[in-house]
Amino acid sequence: MTTIETHVSELERDAEGFLVRPEQWSRELALEIARENGIPELTPRHWQVVEFMRESYLTTGAAPSIRALGKESGVPVKELYSLFPKGPAKLAAKIGGIPKPLGCI
């Protein structure tokens, strides 16, 4: 089964719905995860944040905090909350197929 043919429901996830294996992520899965979490469409600003989260995680081994996300992603914290109303760092990480950031409840 290829990644593109894989659906979120077929992947191993933790109790909160985060992918257990980030390497299984794809942009198609991100769209499915976003819809599953109340975001019907990912705009270019959403993608900017999601891709920043993934790159940061893959580079450092940890997802950035909301503070770092607001400072380093190019998207101000206030806008992050409008893009990802249920918690920007947590939801962007989930959509990006990476573990929940430390410090997120």
Side-chain angles (χ1 to χ4, degrees):
M1 179 180 312
T2 67
T3 304
I4 293 173
E5 295 169 346
T6 304
H7 294 284
V8 174
S9 60
E10 299 168 346
L11 298 172
E12 184 180 357
R13 298 197 278 178
D14 69 14
E16 293 184 76
F18 289 84
L19 292 181
V20 172
R21 297 195 324 255
E23 66 275 7
Q24 291 183 314
W25 182 87
S26 70
R27 288 178 71 90
E28 292 83 6
L29 283 174
L31 293 168
E32 197 172 330
I33 294 167
R35 284 190 293 271
E36 180 181 275
N37 285 276
I39 299 176
E41 176 187 0
L42 292 176
T43 66
R45 289 298 262 187
H46 285 101
W47 283 116
Q48 181 178 341
V49 175
V50 168
E51 289 169 349
F52 175 83
M53 291 287 286
R54 272 193 72 76
E55 182 63 31
S56 182
Y57 173 77
L58 295 173
T59 302
T60 67
S65 66
I66 185 66
R67 185 174 301 169
L69 187 58
K71 286 182 178 181
E72 300 169 20
S73 72
V75 179
V77 172
K78 186 175 182 180
E79 185 180 352
L80 289 170
Y81 277 95
S82 68
L83 292 169
F84 303 96
K86 295 180 182 176
K90 186 175 178 179
L91 189 50
K94 187 179 283 188
I95 293 169
I98 62 173
K100 180 171 74 172
L102 296 174
C104 285
I105 324 175

